[in-house]
Short mmCIF file of all heavy atoms in Angstrom, two decimals:
data_model
loop_
_atom_site.label_atom_id
_atom_site.label_comp_id
_atom_site.label_asym_id
_atom_site.label_seq_id
_atom_site.Cartn_x
_atom_site.Cartn_y
_atom_site.Cartn_z
N PRO A 30 179.46 134.35 269.59
CA PRO A 30 180.67 134.23 268.71
C PRO A 30 181.78 133.56 269.55
O PRO A 30 181.87 133.60 270.74
CB PRO A 30 181.06 135.70 268.48
CG PRO A 30 179.69 136.48 268.64
CD PRO A 30 178.98 135.74 269.63
N ALA A 31 182.69 132.98 268.77
CA ALA A 31 183.81 132.25 269.33
C ALA A 31 184.80 133.22 269.95
O ALA A 31 184.90 134.35 269.50
CB ALA A 31 184.48 131.39 268.23
N PRO A 32 185.46 132.78 270.97
CA PRO A 32 186.52 133.68 271.57
C PRO A 32 187.62 133.90 270.59
O PRO A 32 187.99 133.05 269.73
CB PRO A 32 187.01 132.90 272.77
CG PRO A 32 186.63 131.50 272.46
CD PRO A 32 185.44 131.51 271.59
N LEU A 33 188.24 135.15 270.67
CA LEU A 33 189.33 135.46 269.76
C LEU A 33 190.65 135.05 270.32
O LEU A 33 190.84 135.00 271.55
CB LEU A 33 189.35 136.92 269.42
CG LEU A 33 188.03 137.47 268.77
CD1 LEU A 33 188.09 138.94 268.50
CD2 LEU A 33 187.74 136.67 267.52
N GLY A 34 191.62 134.75 269.47
CA GLY A 34 192.99 134.28 269.91
C GLY A 34 193.85 135.50 270.15
O GLY A 34 193.52 136.64 270.09
N VAL A 35 195.08 135.17 270.35
CA VAL A 35 196.15 136.13 270.71
C VAL A 35 196.38 137.13 269.55
O VAL A 35 196.71 138.30 269.81
CB VAL A 35 197.45 135.44 271.15
CG1 VAL A 35 198.17 134.68 269.99
CG2 VAL A 35 198.41 136.36 271.74
N ALA A 36 196.26 136.71 268.35
CA ALA A 36 196.55 137.61 267.19
C ALA A 36 195.53 138.68 267.14
O ALA A 36 195.87 139.81 266.68
CB ALA A 36 196.55 136.87 265.86
N ALA A 37 194.34 138.58 267.66
CA ALA A 37 193.33 139.64 267.65
C ALA A 37 193.64 140.71 268.68
O ALA A 37 193.06 141.78 268.62
CB ALA A 37 191.97 138.98 268.02
N GLU A 38 194.59 140.46 269.55
CA GLU A 38 194.93 141.51 270.49
C GLU A 38 195.43 142.77 269.87
O GLU A 38 195.29 143.91 270.45
CB GLU A 38 195.99 141.01 271.51
CG GLU A 38 195.41 139.95 272.41
CD GLU A 38 196.53 139.30 273.40
OE1 GLU A 38 197.62 139.81 273.37
OE2 GLU A 38 196.19 138.38 274.04
N GLY A 39 196.01 142.73 268.68
CA GLY A 39 196.48 143.94 267.95
C GLY A 39 195.37 144.67 267.18
O GLY A 39 195.67 145.58 266.52
N LEU A 40 194.19 144.20 267.25
CA LEU A 40 193.13 144.76 266.53
C LEU A 40 192.29 145.71 267.41
O LEU A 40 192.29 145.54 268.62
CB LEU A 40 192.10 143.67 265.95
CG LEU A 40 192.79 142.59 265.11
CD1 LEU A 40 191.69 141.55 264.69
CD2 LEU A 40 193.40 143.18 263.87
N THR A 41 191.59 146.64 266.78
CA THR A 41 190.74 147.50 267.52
C THR A 41 189.49 146.81 267.96
O THR A 41 189.23 145.70 267.49
CB THR A 41 190.32 148.77 266.66
OG1 THR A 41 189.42 148.24 265.63
CG2 THR A 41 191.45 149.51 266.02
N GLU A 42 188.76 147.40 268.90
CA GLU A 42 187.56 146.78 269.41
C GLU A 42 186.52 146.49 268.23
O GLU A 42 185.92 145.42 268.17
CB GLU A 42 186.91 147.71 270.41
CG GLU A 42 185.70 147.09 271.06
CD GLU A 42 185.06 147.95 272.16
OE1 GLU A 42 185.83 148.83 272.77
OE2 GLU A 42 183.90 147.88 272.45
N ARG A 43 186.43 147.46 267.33
CA ARG A 43 185.50 147.27 266.20
C ARG A 43 185.99 146.21 265.29
O ARG A 43 185.20 145.35 264.83
CB ARG A 43 185.30 148.61 265.47
CG ARG A 43 184.39 148.49 264.24
CD ARG A 43 183.05 148.03 264.65
NE ARG A 43 182.14 149.17 264.98
CZ ARG A 43 180.92 149.09 265.36
NH1 ARG A 43 180.37 147.99 265.47
NH2 ARG A 43 180.31 150.21 265.64
N GLN A 44 187.28 146.22 265.04
CA GLN A 44 187.84 145.11 264.15
C GLN A 44 187.62 143.69 264.84
O GLN A 44 187.31 142.76 264.15
CB GLN A 44 189.33 145.33 263.93
CG GLN A 44 189.63 146.54 262.98
CD GLN A 44 190.99 146.87 262.85
OE1 GLN A 44 191.86 146.62 263.79
NE2 GLN A 44 191.43 147.58 261.85
N ARG A 45 187.84 143.70 266.13
CA ARG A 45 187.54 142.36 266.80
C ARG A 45 186.05 141.99 266.66
O ARG A 45 185.72 140.75 266.54
CB ARG A 45 187.96 142.39 268.34
CG ARG A 45 189.50 142.46 268.42
CD ARG A 45 189.90 142.26 269.85
NE ARG A 45 189.36 143.21 270.81
CZ ARG A 45 189.93 144.38 271.12
NH1 ARG A 45 191.05 144.67 270.60
NH2 ARG A 45 189.37 145.17 271.98
N ALA A 46 185.18 142.93 266.72
CA ALA A 46 183.72 142.65 266.61
C ALA A 46 183.45 142.12 265.12
O ALA A 46 182.65 141.20 264.96
CB ALA A 46 182.92 143.93 266.83
N VAL A 47 184.15 142.74 264.13
CA VAL A 47 183.96 142.23 262.78
C VAL A 47 184.50 140.75 262.64
O VAL A 47 183.81 139.96 262.04
CB VAL A 47 184.71 143.19 261.77
CG1 VAL A 47 184.74 142.56 260.39
CG2 VAL A 47 184.00 144.48 261.75
N VAL A 48 185.59 140.49 263.25
CA VAL A 48 186.18 139.15 263.17
C VAL A 48 185.20 138.17 263.92
O VAL A 48 184.96 137.06 263.41
CB VAL A 48 187.59 139.09 263.82
CG1 VAL A 48 188.09 137.60 263.97
CG2 VAL A 48 188.58 139.87 263.01
N ALA A 49 184.67 138.56 265.04
CA ALA A 49 183.72 137.70 265.78
C ALA A 49 182.57 137.34 264.90
O ALA A 49 182.07 136.22 264.92
CB ALA A 49 183.38 138.32 267.08
N GLU A 50 181.99 138.33 264.24
CA GLU A 50 180.85 138.15 263.31
C GLU A 50 181.31 137.24 262.07
O GLU A 50 180.56 136.41 261.75
CB GLU A 50 180.25 139.45 262.81
CG GLU A 50 179.60 140.20 263.97
CD GLU A 50 178.36 139.49 264.57
OE1 GLU A 50 177.81 138.64 263.86
OE2 GLU A 50 178.05 139.78 265.74
N LEU A 51 182.47 137.54 261.60
CA LEU A 51 183.01 136.71 260.46
C LEU A 51 183.09 135.28 260.85
O LEU A 51 182.75 134.35 260.10
CB LEU A 51 184.38 137.26 260.10
CG LEU A 51 185.04 136.56 258.91
CD1 LEU A 51 184.37 136.88 257.59
CD2 LEU A 51 186.51 137.14 258.79
N ALA A 52 183.42 135.04 262.07
CA ALA A 52 183.61 133.61 262.60
C ALA A 52 182.27 132.85 262.61
O ALA A 52 182.24 131.63 262.61
CB ALA A 52 184.18 133.66 263.99
N THR A 53 181.13 133.66 262.59
CA THR A 53 179.84 132.96 262.54
C THR A 53 179.41 132.54 261.13
O THR A 53 178.41 131.92 261.03
CB THR A 53 178.75 133.85 263.13
OG1 THR A 53 178.52 134.95 262.29
CG2 THR A 53 179.13 134.34 264.56
N GLY A 54 180.25 132.95 260.19
CA GLY A 54 179.93 132.68 258.80
C GLY A 54 179.07 133.75 258.13
O GLY A 54 178.65 133.64 256.96
N ALA A 55 178.97 134.90 258.77
CA ALA A 55 178.19 136.05 258.31
C ALA A 55 178.86 136.58 257.04
O ALA A 55 180.08 136.76 256.94
CB ALA A 55 178.01 137.03 259.36
N SER A 56 177.93 137.05 256.13
CA SER A 56 178.39 137.88 254.93
C SER A 56 178.77 139.27 255.38
O SER A 56 178.36 139.70 256.46
CB SER A 56 177.36 137.82 253.91
OG SER A 56 176.24 138.57 254.37
N ASN A 57 179.35 140.02 254.46
CA ASN A 57 179.70 141.44 254.79
C ASN A 57 178.34 142.18 255.07
O ASN A 57 178.35 142.97 256.00
CB ASN A 57 180.43 142.09 253.58
CG ASN A 57 181.78 141.61 253.44
OD1 ASN A 57 182.28 140.77 254.23
ND2 ASN A 57 182.49 142.11 252.45
N ALA A 58 177.26 141.90 254.26
CA ALA A 58 176.05 142.55 254.56
C ALA A 58 175.40 142.19 255.88
O ALA A 58 174.87 143.06 256.61
CB ALA A 58 175.02 142.21 253.42
N GLU A 59 175.57 140.93 256.31
CA GLU A 59 175.00 140.52 257.61
C GLU A 59 175.86 141.13 258.76
O GLU A 59 175.32 141.55 259.71
CB GLU A 59 175.09 138.98 257.72
CG GLU A 59 174.07 138.33 256.76
CD GLU A 59 174.27 136.81 256.71
OE1 GLU A 59 175.44 136.37 256.81
OE2 GLU A 59 173.31 136.08 256.51
N ILE A 60 177.18 141.19 258.58
CA ILE A 60 178.04 141.84 259.58
C ILE A 60 177.63 143.33 259.70
O ILE A 60 177.53 143.84 260.83
CB ILE A 60 179.53 141.71 259.20
CG1 ILE A 60 179.92 140.26 259.23
CG2 ILE A 60 180.38 142.55 260.06
CD1 ILE A 60 181.34 139.98 258.66
N ALA A 61 177.48 143.96 258.57
CA ALA A 61 177.13 145.39 258.59
C ALA A 61 175.77 145.63 259.37
O ALA A 61 175.70 146.49 260.15
CB ALA A 61 176.99 145.88 257.10
N GLU A 62 174.81 144.77 259.03
CA GLU A 62 173.53 144.88 259.75
C GLU A 62 173.59 144.65 261.24
O GLU A 62 173.10 145.45 262.06
CB GLU A 62 172.50 143.92 259.11
CG GLU A 62 171.12 144.07 259.67
CD GLU A 62 170.11 143.15 258.99
OE1 GLU A 62 170.24 142.83 257.74
OE2 GLU A 62 169.24 142.62 259.73
N ARG A 63 174.33 143.61 261.56
CA ARG A 63 174.54 143.27 263.05
C ARG A 63 175.24 144.35 263.76
O ARG A 63 174.93 144.60 264.96
CB ARG A 63 175.21 141.91 263.18
CG ARG A 63 174.40 140.76 262.71
CD ARG A 63 175.19 139.49 262.74
NE ARG A 63 174.50 138.40 262.04
CZ ARG A 63 175.00 137.25 261.88
NH1 ARG A 63 176.19 136.92 262.29
NH2 ARG A 63 174.33 136.24 261.21
N LEU A 64 176.18 144.98 263.17
CA LEU A 64 177.02 146.03 263.89
C LEU A 64 176.50 147.36 263.63
O LEU A 64 177.06 148.40 264.22
CB LEU A 64 178.48 145.88 263.45
CG LEU A 64 179.16 144.57 263.79
CD1 LEU A 64 180.67 144.54 263.32
CD2 LEU A 64 179.07 144.24 265.26
N GLY A 65 175.50 147.60 262.72
CA GLY A 65 174.96 148.96 262.55
C GLY A 65 175.98 149.84 261.74
O GLY A 65 175.99 151.01 262.02
N ILE A 66 176.66 149.24 260.78
CA ILE A 66 177.59 149.99 259.98
C ILE A 66 177.34 149.64 258.52
O ILE A 66 176.62 148.73 258.22
CB ILE A 66 179.09 149.69 260.38
CG1 ILE A 66 179.38 148.24 260.25
CG2 ILE A 66 179.39 150.16 261.75
CD1 ILE A 66 180.83 147.81 260.54
N SER A 67 177.94 150.33 257.59
CA SER A 67 177.70 150.10 256.15
C SER A 67 178.56 148.86 255.72
O SER A 67 179.60 148.60 256.29
CB SER A 67 178.04 151.32 255.37
OG SER A 67 179.43 151.52 255.24
N VAL A 68 178.18 148.34 254.61
CA VAL A 68 178.94 147.22 253.99
C VAL A 68 180.33 147.78 253.62
O VAL A 68 181.30 147.04 253.79
CB VAL A 68 178.24 146.64 252.79
CG1 VAL A 68 179.09 145.60 252.03
CG2 VAL A 68 176.92 146.01 253.22
N LYS A 69 180.42 148.93 253.11
CA LYS A 69 181.67 149.53 252.76
C LYS A 69 182.67 149.64 253.95
O LYS A 69 183.84 149.45 253.92
CB LYS A 69 181.51 150.96 252.11
CG LYS A 69 181.12 150.87 250.68
CD LYS A 69 182.18 150.41 249.86
CE LYS A 69 181.84 150.65 248.40
NZ LYS A 69 182.77 149.99 247.47
N THR A 70 182.06 149.97 255.09
CA THR A 70 182.84 150.04 256.36
C THR A 70 183.36 148.70 256.76
O THR A 70 184.46 148.49 257.19
CB THR A 70 182.07 150.72 257.49
OG1 THR A 70 181.67 151.98 257.09
CG2 THR A 70 182.84 150.76 258.77
N VAL A 71 182.52 147.60 256.61
CA VAL A 71 182.93 146.26 256.95
C VAL A 71 184.10 145.93 255.97
O VAL A 71 185.11 145.38 256.46
CB VAL A 71 181.74 145.27 256.71
CG1 VAL A 71 182.19 143.84 256.76
CG2 VAL A 71 180.68 145.52 257.76
N GLU A 72 183.90 146.25 254.74
CA GLU A 72 185.00 145.89 253.76
C GLU A 72 186.29 146.63 254.15
O GLU A 72 187.43 145.97 254.08
CB GLU A 72 184.61 146.34 252.37
CG GLU A 72 183.51 145.43 251.78
CD GLU A 72 182.87 146.03 250.45
OE1 GLU A 72 183.24 147.12 250.11
OE2 GLU A 72 181.96 145.34 249.95
N LYS A 73 186.20 147.86 254.57
CA LYS A 73 187.42 148.62 255.01
C LYS A 73 188.06 147.89 256.24
O LYS A 73 189.30 147.78 256.30
CB LYS A 73 187.01 150.08 255.38
CG LYS A 73 188.17 150.88 255.81
CD LYS A 73 187.76 152.34 256.06
CE LYS A 73 188.90 153.15 256.58
NZ LYS A 73 188.53 154.54 256.88
N HIS A 74 187.25 147.53 257.26
CA HIS A 74 187.75 146.90 258.37
C HIS A 74 188.44 145.55 258.02
O HIS A 74 189.47 145.30 258.49
CB HIS A 74 186.63 146.58 259.44
CG HIS A 74 186.19 147.73 260.17
ND1 HIS A 74 187.04 148.61 260.80
CD2 HIS A 74 184.96 148.23 260.42
CE1 HIS A 74 186.34 149.55 261.39
NE2 HIS A 74 185.06 149.38 261.18
N LEU A 75 187.76 144.78 257.15
CA LEU A 75 188.43 143.51 256.77
C LEU A 75 189.78 143.73 256.00
O LEU A 75 190.66 143.01 256.29
CB LEU A 75 187.45 142.81 255.81
CG LEU A 75 186.21 142.11 256.50
CD1 LEU A 75 185.25 141.61 255.51
CD2 LEU A 75 186.64 141.14 257.53
N HIS A 76 189.82 144.79 255.16
CA HIS A 76 191.11 145.13 254.49
C HIS A 76 192.15 145.49 255.52
O HIS A 76 193.31 145.03 255.42
CB HIS A 76 190.87 146.27 253.53
CG HIS A 76 192.05 146.70 252.81
ND1 HIS A 76 192.65 145.93 251.75
CD2 HIS A 76 192.88 147.74 252.93
CE1 HIS A 76 193.70 146.53 251.30
NE2 HIS A 76 193.90 147.65 252.07
N GLN A 77 191.83 146.28 256.50
CA GLN A 77 192.74 146.73 257.54
C GLN A 77 193.22 145.51 258.39
O GLN A 77 194.35 145.35 258.78
CB GLN A 77 192.21 147.75 258.46
CG GLN A 77 191.96 149.13 257.71
CD GLN A 77 191.16 150.14 258.49
OE1 GLN A 77 190.41 149.72 259.42
NE2 GLN A 77 191.35 151.41 258.19
N ILE A 78 192.24 144.63 258.73
CA ILE A 78 192.60 143.41 259.47
C ILE A 78 193.55 142.48 258.69
O ILE A 78 194.49 142.02 259.28
CB ILE A 78 191.29 142.61 259.79
CG1 ILE A 78 190.43 143.43 260.88
CG2 ILE A 78 191.57 141.20 260.41
CD1 ILE A 78 188.99 142.91 260.87
N MET A 79 193.24 142.30 257.41
CA MET A 79 194.14 141.54 256.60
C MET A 79 195.57 142.12 256.60
O MET A 79 196.54 141.34 256.70
CB MET A 79 193.64 141.39 255.14
CG MET A 79 192.38 140.57 255.00
SD MET A 79 191.80 140.56 253.32
CE MET A 79 190.17 139.76 253.56
N GLY A 80 195.67 143.42 256.52
CA GLY A 80 196.98 144.07 256.56
C GLY A 80 197.71 143.86 257.80
O GLY A 80 198.89 143.49 257.93
N ARG A 81 196.93 143.99 258.98
CA ARG A 81 197.59 143.78 260.33
C ARG A 81 198.04 142.41 260.59
O ARG A 81 199.00 142.14 261.20
CB ARG A 81 196.62 144.28 261.36
CG ARG A 81 196.52 145.79 261.52
CD ARG A 81 195.74 146.12 262.77
NE ARG A 81 195.62 147.62 262.82
CZ ARG A 81 195.20 148.28 263.82
NH1 ARG A 81 194.81 147.59 264.94
NH2 ARG A 81 195.10 149.57 263.83
N LEU A 82 197.22 141.44 260.04
CA LEU A 82 197.47 140.05 260.28
C LEU A 82 198.35 139.41 259.19
O LEU A 82 198.76 138.27 259.24
CB LEU A 82 196.23 139.20 260.39
CG LEU A 82 195.30 139.61 261.55
CD1 LEU A 82 194.03 138.74 261.55
CD2 LEU A 82 196.07 139.51 262.93
N GLU A 83 198.63 140.20 258.13
CA GLU A 83 199.42 139.80 256.97
C GLU A 83 198.94 138.57 256.31
O GLU A 83 199.53 137.60 256.08
CB GLU A 83 200.90 139.56 257.36
CG GLU A 83 201.57 140.85 257.89
CD GLU A 83 203.00 140.70 258.34
OE1 GLU A 83 203.47 139.48 258.34
OE2 GLU A 83 203.60 141.68 258.65
N VAL A 84 197.58 138.62 256.04
CA VAL A 84 196.83 137.53 255.31
C VAL A 84 196.11 138.22 254.13
O VAL A 84 195.90 139.39 254.09
CB VAL A 84 195.95 136.72 256.26
CG1 VAL A 84 196.68 136.08 257.36
CG2 VAL A 84 194.89 137.67 256.79
N SER A 85 195.56 137.38 253.31
CA SER A 85 194.85 137.93 252.09
C SER A 85 193.46 137.41 251.82
O SER A 85 192.83 137.72 250.88
CB SER A 85 195.73 137.65 250.82
OG SER A 85 195.90 136.29 250.68
N THR A 86 193.01 136.55 252.85
CA THR A 86 191.64 136.09 252.66
C THR A 86 190.87 136.07 254.02
O THR A 86 191.51 136.22 255.09
CB THR A 86 191.71 134.50 252.18
OG1 THR A 86 192.29 133.74 253.28
CG2 THR A 86 192.47 134.42 250.90
N ARG A 87 189.56 135.91 253.92
CA ARG A 87 188.71 135.83 255.12
C ARG A 87 189.13 134.61 255.99
O ARG A 87 189.16 134.69 257.20
CB ARG A 87 187.27 135.70 254.71
CG ARG A 87 186.71 136.96 254.05
CD ARG A 87 185.43 136.78 253.34
NE ARG A 87 184.33 136.58 254.15
CZ ARG A 87 183.47 137.56 254.58
NH1 ARG A 87 183.61 138.76 254.11
NH2 ARG A 87 182.49 137.31 255.37
N VAL A 88 189.41 133.47 255.35
CA VAL A 88 189.81 132.31 256.05
C VAL A 88 191.17 132.56 256.81
O VAL A 88 191.35 132.18 257.95
CB VAL A 88 189.98 131.09 255.10
CG1 VAL A 88 190.57 129.88 255.79
CG2 VAL A 88 188.58 130.71 254.47
N GLY A 89 192.05 133.27 256.16
CA GLY A 89 193.28 133.73 256.75
C GLY A 89 193.09 134.51 258.03
O GLY A 89 193.76 134.30 259.08
N ILE A 90 192.11 135.42 257.96
CA ILE A 90 191.76 136.20 259.15
C ILE A 90 191.42 135.25 260.29
O ILE A 90 191.87 135.38 261.38
CB ILE A 90 190.60 137.20 258.85
CG1 ILE A 90 191.06 138.29 257.93
CG2 ILE A 90 190.10 137.79 260.17
CD1 ILE A 90 189.94 139.18 257.42
N LEU A 91 190.51 134.33 259.97
CA LEU A 91 189.97 133.46 261.05
C LEU A 91 191.11 132.54 261.58
O LEU A 91 191.22 132.35 262.80
CB LEU A 91 188.84 132.61 260.54
CG LEU A 91 187.61 133.42 260.10
CD1 LEU A 91 186.56 132.52 259.56
CD2 LEU A 91 187.07 134.17 261.35
N ARG A 92 191.97 132.07 260.69
CA ARG A 92 193.09 131.21 261.08
C ARG A 92 194.00 131.91 262.10
O ARG A 92 194.49 131.34 263.11
CB ARG A 92 193.83 130.63 259.94
CG ARG A 92 193.02 129.67 259.14
CD ARG A 92 193.75 129.26 257.92
NE ARG A 92 194.61 128.05 258.29
CZ ARG A 92 195.43 127.48 257.43
NH1 ARG A 92 195.51 127.93 256.20
NH2 ARG A 92 196.12 126.45 257.81
N HIS A 93 194.33 133.20 261.77
CA HIS A 93 195.26 133.91 262.65
C HIS A 93 194.56 134.57 263.87
O HIS A 93 195.13 134.47 264.95
CB HIS A 93 195.90 134.99 261.80
CG HIS A 93 197.02 134.50 260.91
ND1 HIS A 93 196.78 133.78 259.82
CD2 HIS A 93 198.32 134.55 261.07
CE1 HIS A 93 197.91 133.40 259.26
NE2 HIS A 93 198.88 133.88 260.03
N ALA A 94 193.42 135.17 263.61
CA ALA A 94 192.75 135.87 264.75
C ALA A 94 192.13 134.94 265.78
O ALA A 94 191.96 135.34 266.90
CB ALA A 94 191.69 136.84 264.19
N MET A 95 191.80 133.74 265.39
CA MET A 95 191.22 132.77 266.22
C MET A 95 192.19 131.85 266.86
O MET A 95 191.77 131.05 267.78
CB MET A 95 190.11 132.03 265.55
CG MET A 95 189.10 132.84 264.82
SD MET A 95 187.94 133.76 265.81
CE MET A 95 187.00 132.48 266.52
N ALA A 96 193.43 131.84 266.47
CA ALA A 96 194.41 130.90 266.96
C ALA A 96 194.70 131.16 268.44
O ALA A 96 194.89 132.28 268.81
CB ALA A 96 195.73 130.98 266.18
N PRO A 97 194.73 130.11 269.23
CA PRO A 97 195.02 130.34 270.71
C PRO A 97 196.49 130.66 270.87
O PRO A 97 197.31 130.35 270.02
CB PRO A 97 194.64 128.96 271.32
CG PRO A 97 194.80 128.02 270.17
CD PRO A 97 194.43 128.74 268.92
N ALA A 98 196.77 131.24 271.96
CA ALA A 98 198.13 131.58 272.32
C ALA A 98 198.92 130.26 272.53
O ALA A 98 198.38 129.30 273.01
CB ALA A 98 198.20 132.40 273.59
N LEU A 99 200.15 130.23 272.12
CA LEU A 99 201.01 129.14 272.38
C LEU A 99 201.33 129.01 273.88
O LEU A 99 201.61 130.01 274.46
CB LEU A 99 202.31 129.22 271.51
CG LEU A 99 202.08 129.13 269.96
CD1 LEU A 99 203.45 129.43 269.30
CD2 LEU A 99 201.49 127.86 269.56
N PRO A 100 201.37 127.78 274.36
CA PRO A 100 201.70 127.66 275.80
C PRO A 100 203.24 128.01 276.02
O PRO A 100 204.05 127.86 275.06
CB PRO A 100 201.54 126.20 276.06
CG PRO A 100 201.58 125.53 274.75
CD PRO A 100 201.12 126.53 273.72
N ASN A 101 203.52 128.45 277.17
CA ASN A 101 204.93 128.76 277.53
C ASN A 101 205.63 127.41 277.64
O ASN A 101 205.20 126.58 278.39
CB ASN A 101 205.04 129.55 278.79
CG ASN A 101 204.46 130.98 278.66
OD1 ASN A 101 204.54 131.54 277.61
ND2 ASN A 101 203.89 131.50 279.75
N LEU A 102 206.85 127.42 276.96
CA LEU A 102 207.59 126.15 277.08
C LEU A 102 208.80 126.33 277.91
O LEU A 102 209.36 127.30 278.06
CB LEU A 102 207.99 125.68 275.64
CG LEU A 102 206.80 125.42 274.74
CD1 LEU A 102 207.31 125.06 273.31
CD2 LEU A 102 206.02 124.23 275.23
#
């Protein structure tokens, strides 16, 4: 999985694992299988991640959670 960006620092370890799997293009069912959790739990994690990152789509999660930290100017 791709490394997570600075926005992911506010997520739990499990939420970061869901984002990492999401970044591979995995469906909710595939994420659930890979992490050993139910699809409903994946959906709950995605909903909570969207709330924390203030986005409303899976693409929004990736854009925010995968964004690198801005360099110090």
Side-chain angles (χ1 to χ4, degrees):
L33 300 181
V35 68
E38 291 176 6
L40 303 178
T41 67
E42 183 176 335
R43 180 59 90 180
Q44 289 170 339
R45 288 192 302 272
V47 169
V48 172
E50 292 297 337
L51 182 66
T53 70
S56 68
N57 289 359
E59 291 168 329
I60 294 169
E62 184 177 323
R63 292 176 190 174
L64 298 180
I66 58 179
S67 73
V68 173
K69 284 287 190 189
T70 301
V71 171
E72 292 169 356
K73 180 179 176 181
H74 284 310
L75 290 172
H76 179 75
Q77 292 171 337
I78 293 164
M79 287 179 193
R81 287 190 181 191
L82 299 180
E83 298 178 354
V84 299
S85 59
T86 65
R87 294 165 71 96
V88 172
I90 291 172
L91 296 176
R92 291 176 86 183
H93 282 75
M95 306 291 293
L99 295 174
N101 292 331
L102 299 176

